Amino acid sequence: PNFLSQVLNQPGQNKVLVIDAGGLRSGMGAVFDGDMANAAVRNGWKGVIVNGAIRNAAQLSRMTTFGVKALGTSPKKGNAAMGQKGVAVTIGNSQLQPGWWVYADGDGVVMSQTDVSGGSFGSVGGGTSMMSSGGYGGGTAGST
């Protein structure tokens, strides 16, 4: 299995995996799909945020216990052959550090160094979610 699959097959401890696949670039395939989501759920991950493309979007959108946010979709399978675990990930102009809190709903994602929910957020399937993050840098051969 590729590096990303190996990470998803480790205990997720109710965290969110943030995947830096370098954004959306011409010719890039999806680095995350439905099979990976199923493995992640089995291993206790709460969701993923992908700085890049996913595939099987319809299947992923029906998952009620696992959240997925990505920049876009692609029918083409990408390559997540290498990467680093536990590193800061930059998405746009924002840098997310491992252990930060991630809040997501249909409108987007907010990141925070501390839990700012005040207990008012629900579970992943119920709209907004709160999740502690674990960074993953890489996603495609040659990216950092």
Side-chain angles (χ1 to χ4, degrees):
N2 66 32
F3 181 77
L4 183 53
S5 293
Q6 291 175 18
V7 170
L8 292 168
N9 280 301
Q10 296 173 5
Q13 302 173 329
N14 291 321
K15 293 186 178 182
V16 172
L17 184 63
V18 180
I19 303 165
D20 184 2
L24 293 177
R25 297 183 302 226
S26 178
M28 292 287 296
V31 296
F32 189 82
D33 62 21
D35 290 339
M36 291 176 167
N38 290 330
V41 169
R42 280 193 309 273
N43 290 293
W45 293 92
K46 280 293 190 185
V48 296
I49 297 173
V50 182
N51 183 25
I54 60 170
R55 64 186 196 138
N56 309 124
Q59 174 189 353
L60 295 172
S61 70
R62 290 189 299 270
M63 297 184 86
T64 59
T65 60
F66 187 78
V68 178
K69 287 289 185 191
L71 294 180
T73 62
S74 172
K76 177 183 169 188
K77 187 172 186 174
N79 179 11
M82 54 196 279
Q84 296 176 303
K85 187 177 171 189
V87 298
V89 174
T90 300
I91 300 175
N93 294 326
S94 299
Q95 187 176 69
L96 178 65
Q97 298 287 336
W100 281 18
W101 290 83
V102 178
Y103 303 86
D105 66 11
D107 294 324
V109 177
V110 175
M111 302 171 264
S112 174
Q113 293 180 30
T114 59
D115 178 1
V116 296
S117 70
S120 62
F121 289 101
S123 65
V124 172
T128 306
S129 58
M130 72 176 180
M131 305 166 267
S132 181
S133 66
Y136 166 75
T140 58
S143 70
T144 58

